[in-house]
């Protein structure tokens, strides 16, 4: 749509983020591909379209909520990024000197909600999950709102919550299938299974 996008990856550096997005653009898994003229040409072509619209911040390992909030505000207001990805909120809380993870997430989610409302941005907030009883999520266990790690505020303050499910131990055909489930929908209340995505190892795309 020609809009600017900001990405705060707390478990990866901006170089990895950029190569991942450029891979989707080029239909080549550039992170795994060996450097070659073809790969270099694909990166240069992707940069023509993304170079002045993708802001991949160096937020690796950041656990300071105020720094994260300031970065998102800078992206939204200073750089006019109307779409922001925060991957992931669990990483921030795990680095806090706090004995109460729930209260920490409550406060952080409240501040993020204010940024969304005042900055008029679309925020994709990734959250890890608590381990369920019995079969784990890595084996395709169904995700529910109660599995969101740390606080009910993640579900309460979000407009839309989508759970992703994949059985990493399944047979080849099913192992690369990611099922999607709407867990909350503030707009019209419609929830439940909403389709699936399949990972293509040749192109590196979902």
């Amino acid at each position: 749509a020609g809009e600017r996008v900001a990405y705060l990856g707390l478990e990866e550096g901006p170089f990895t983020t950029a190569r991942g997005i450029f891979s989707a653009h080029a239909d080549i898994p550039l992170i795994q591909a060996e450097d070659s003229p073809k790969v270099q040409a694909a990166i240069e072509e992707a940069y023509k379209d993304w170079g002045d619209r993708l802001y991949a911040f160096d937020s690796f390992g950041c656990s300071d909520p105020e720094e994260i909030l300031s970065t998102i505000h800078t992206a939204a207001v200073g750089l006019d990024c109307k779409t922001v990805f925060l991957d992931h909120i669990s990483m921030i809380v795990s680095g806090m000197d706090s004995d109460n993870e729930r209260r920490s997430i409550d406060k952080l989610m409240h501040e993020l909600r204010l940024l969304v409302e005042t900055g008029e941005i679309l925020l994709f907030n990734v959250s890890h999950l608590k381990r369920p009883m019995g079969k784990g999520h890595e084996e395709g266990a169904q995700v529910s709102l109660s599995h969101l790690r740390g606080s009910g505020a993640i579900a309460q303050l979000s407009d839309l919550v989508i759970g992703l499910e994949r059985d990493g131990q399944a047979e080849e055909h099913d192992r690369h299938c990611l099922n999607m489930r709407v867990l909350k929908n503030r707009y019209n209340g419609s929830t439940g299974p909403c389709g699936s995505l399949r990972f293509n190892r040749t192109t590196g795309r979902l």
Side-chain angles (χ1 to χ4, degrees):
E3 295 184 359
R4 295 179 177 181
V5 175
Y7 187 96
L8 287 74
L10 307 189
E11 288 189 321
E12 65 182 34
F15 178 78
T16 302
T17 298
R19 281 183 79 100
I21 293 176
F22 288 1
S23 293
H25 182 96
D27 275 338
I28 302 173
L30 299 174
I31 294 178
Q32 301 174 9
E34 297 180 2
D35 286 335
S36 66
K38 179 181 179 182
V39 169
Q40 189 61 37
I43 292 175
E44 292 175 0
E45 185 65 27
Y47 185 79
K48 290 179 182 178
D49 284 343
W50 279 101
D52 61 347
R53 295 193 293 117
L54 171 63
Y55 291 85
F57 288 89
D58 189 3
S59 303
F60 179 81
C62 181
S63 59
D64 183 352
E66 294 302 322
E67 182 178 338
I68 294 295
L69 292 167
S70 176
T71 301
I72 294 176
H73 184 269
T74 297
V77 178
L79 301 175
D80 194 32
C81 295
K82 296 306 181 185
T83 301
V84 179
F85 289 84
L86 174 58
D87 184 8
H88 53 93
I89 191 171
S90 309
M91 182 76 173
I92 303 171
V93 178
S94 65
M96 290 181 181
D97 293 327
S98 173
D99 294 329
N100 194 325
E101 185 180 81
R102 182 188 60 77
R103 291 183 62 185
S104 299
I105 295 180
D106 284 350
K107 184 177 186 300
L108 181 56
M109 281 298 301
H110 178 72
E111 296 296 330
L112 288 173
R113 182 72 207 190
L114 288 176
L115 275 177
V116 169
E117 295 299 328
T118 58
E120 296 183 348
I121 62 172
L122 176 63
L123 174 64
F124 287 86
N125 180 23
V126 180
S127 173
H128 280 192
L129 303 170
K130 295 185 292 186
R131 182 173 294 277
M133 296 292 290
K135 184 171 68 172
H137 294 115
E138 70 278 5
E139 296 178 337
Q142 181 175 316
V143 178
S144 71
L145 286 178
S146 64
H147 293 160
L148 296 175
R149 178 185 163 189
S151 168
I154 298 175
Q156 293 164 5
L157 294 175
S158 298
D159 290 324
L160 188 69
V161 181
I162 300 176
L164 305 178
E165 304 163 356
R166 181 174 74 93
D167 186 353
Q169 302 304 314
E171 296 299 322
E172 176 71 20
H173 180 267
D174 297 325
R175 189 162 62 239
H176 303 294
C177 185
L178 187 72
N179 295 314
M180 300 181 292
R181 184 181 304 276
V182 176
L183 304 177
K184 177 186 176 180
N185 188 339
R186 191 189 301 272
Y187 302 112
N188 62 21
S190 179
T191 58
C194 62
S196 61
L197 300 168
R198 182 171 296 280
F199 180 68
N200 186 319
R201 291 194 294 176
T202 301
T203 64
R205 294 179 67 109
L206 281 172

